[in-house]
């Protein structure tokens, strides 16, 4: 029988934590429920302890990603469920996630629709991230930043060292699973309005999400990123050459620099791709 661990990263979520844990214990009495208290200044840890959850406390705030990693390291289940402690995710949806795991998927993600986005700005940002990440991994990504997912523990733990300590662990693990060739499935969910104050800063964390996408892209598919950049430089160099040839009748030094740059970027991508293949070739 598949054992289950439910992991909730928690930072000052005393307003919502009690209701969430009561629903979880009612639905999954035999599951291991782990609350990772990321340096909360309220009584979140005490509430979780009173309701029978296993509580792991950080002595100071390390970040959402660090809490996720702590939870995964302490979990004993074959399947891990990650969900927020702020009341956004419905414990009743866990059954739907597990049903897809039973069908053979390695990770199942609860994908939020337009009605579940906190604001129009978040909707546009998440749409952009989804499109960019889908292009990089060459697979459709319905919700890159969803924190509600079920995943096979042994496969998730392969990528613990890649996960950032802050936001956004979902971005990293999603792209890593796709690139590694693991099966990822999305199911639609309704994310309710969170209880309490959000810890996400739109501008700061938005830039961080973007950097994470490029970081994982260069780590897993460097030639795709560098190759596209090389093609861009080559096309620009070609247009610049035609322009200078018809206006001045000559091939300029700047044209030579642009063509050389495109070739160098391509070669960097090619070498990076070979290093990546060697780095992630697993021994049988």
């Amino acid at each position: 029988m598949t054992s289950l661990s439910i992991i909730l990263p928690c930072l000052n979520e005393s307003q919502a934590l009690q209701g969430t844990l009561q629903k979880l214990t009612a639905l999954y009495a035999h599951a291991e429920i782990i609350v990772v208290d990321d340096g909360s200044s309220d009584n979140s840890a005490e509430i979780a302890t009173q309701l029978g959850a296993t509580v792991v406390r950080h002595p100071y705030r390390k970040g959402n990603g660090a809490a996720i990693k702590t939870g995964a390291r302490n979990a004993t289940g074959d399947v891990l469920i990650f969900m927020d402690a702020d009341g956004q995710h419905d414990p009743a949806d866990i059954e739907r996630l597990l049903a897809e795991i039973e069908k053979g998927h390695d990770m199942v993600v609860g994908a939020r629709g337009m009605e579940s986005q906190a604001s129009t700005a978040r909707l546009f940002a998440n749409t952009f991230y989804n499109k960019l990440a889908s292009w990089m991994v060459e697979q459709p990504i319905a919700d890159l930043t969803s924190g509600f997912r079920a995943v096979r523990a042994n496969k998730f733990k392969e990528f613990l060292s890649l996960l950032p300590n802050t936001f956004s662990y979902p971005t990293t693990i999603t792209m890593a699973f796709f690139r590694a060739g693991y099966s990822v499935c999305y199911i639609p969910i309704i994310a309710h309005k969170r209880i309490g104050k959000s810890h996400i800063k739109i501008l700061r964390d938005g830039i961080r999400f973007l950097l994470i996408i490029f970081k994982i892209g260069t780590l897993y598919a460097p030639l795709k990123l560098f190759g596209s950049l090389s093609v861009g430089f080559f096309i620009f160099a070609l247009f610049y050459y035609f322009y200078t040839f018809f206006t001045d009748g000559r091939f300029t030094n700047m044209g030579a620099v642009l063509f050389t740059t495109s070739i160098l970027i391509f070669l960097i991508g090619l070498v990076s791709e070979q290093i990546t293949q060697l780095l992630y070739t697993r021994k049988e």
Side-chain angles (χ1 to χ4, degrees):
M1 183 176 179
T2 301
S3 56
L4 182 65
S5 294
I6 304 173
I7 300 168
L8 297 88
C10 175
L11 175 62
N12 297 328
E13 302 292 359
S14 59
Q15 297 179 56
L17 188 59
Q18 181 171 345
T20 300
L21 289 177
Q22 287 174 340
K23 292 178 182 177
L24 285 173
T25 52
L27 290 170
Y28 297 98
H30 300 293
E32 177 184 50
I33 300 177
I34 301 175
V35 173
V36 182
D37 180 21
D38 189 33
S40 295
S41 57
D42 63 6
N43 63 336
S44 294
E46 288 75 14
I47 292 174
T49 300
Q50 291 170 5
L51 291 173
T54 299
V55 179
V56 183
R57 305 191 69 169
H58 288 169
Y60 56 89
R61 182 178 178 181
K62 298 180 181 180
N64 178 263
I68 289 295
K69 289 189 282 189
T70 296
R73 292 186 181 111
N74 284 272
T76 59
D78 300 317
V79 174
L80 308 180
I81 299 289
F82 295 101
M83 61 185 297
D84 294 342
D86 56 16
Q88 290 192 72
H89 301 143
D90 187 351
D93 285 329
I94 292 176
E95 183 178 355
R96 297 168 59 214
L97 299 179
L98 294 176
E100 296 299 326
I101 290 288
E102 292 298 322
K103 292 179 182 178
H105 294 291
D106 298 305
M107 181 164 67
V108 184
V109 183
R112 300 160 295 179
M114 294 179 60
E115 70 281 356
S116 298
Q117 300 298 328
S119 65
T120 302
R122 289 276 289 273
L123 173 61
F124 281 116
N126 285 334
T127 300
F128 171 73
Y129 298 144
N130 293 341
K131 296 291 186 183
L132 181 59
S134 297
W135 171 75
M136 282 193 172
V137 301
E138 299 181 340
Q139 293 288 342
I141 295 179
D143 191 344
L144 184 64
T145 59
S146 173
F148 188 34
R149 61 191 61 214
V151 60
R152 297 188 188 278
N154 60 334
K155 291 181 170 61
F156 184 88
K157 291 177 181 180
E158 291 178 20
F159 303 104
L160 282 182
S161 61
L162 291 179
L163 302 185
N165 286 337
T166 51
F167 295 103
S168 162
Y169 101 86
T171 305
T172 305
I173 198 64
T174 298
M175 295 182 70
F177 261 57
F178 272 118
R179 181 56 183 171
Y182 291 141
S183 177
V184 180
C185 172
Y186 285 91
I187 63 169
I189 63 165
I190 300 295
H192 305 286
K193 185 177 180 181
R194 67 163 287 127
I195 300 173
K197 184 179 179 181
S198 174
H199 306 296
I200 295 180
K201 306 296 182 182
I202 297 296
L203 181 60
R204 181 197 66 188
D205 291 316
I207 294 173
R208 185 175 292 161
F209 289 155
L210 193 60
L211 291 175
I212 288 172
I213 293 173
F214 281 108
K215 175 184 174 182
I216 299 301
T218 54
L219 185 62
Y220 281 97
L223 190 57
K224 189 173 185 66
L225 186 62
F226 285 107
S228 300
L229 190 60
S230 173
V231 170
F233 265 94
F234 183 83
I235 293 173
F236 180 67
L238 202 60
F239 275 102
Y240 186 81
Y241 164 68
F242 285 132
Y243 171 76
T244 56
F245 180 79
F246 286 111
T247 56
D248 297 333
R250 63 192 180 91
F251 179 59
T252 65
N253 291 336
M254 179 57 70
V257 169
L258 291 172
F259 277 115
T260 302
T261 300
S262 71
I263 294 172
L264 289 176
I265 292 175
F266 175 76
L267 291 176
I268 291 172
L270 191 61
V271 172
S272 299
E273 186 75 21
Q274 298 304 314
I275 293 173
T276 298
Q277 292 295 332
L278 291 173
L279 186 62
Y280 290 97
T281 298
R282 293 188 292 176
K283 296 180 180 179
E284 297 295 336

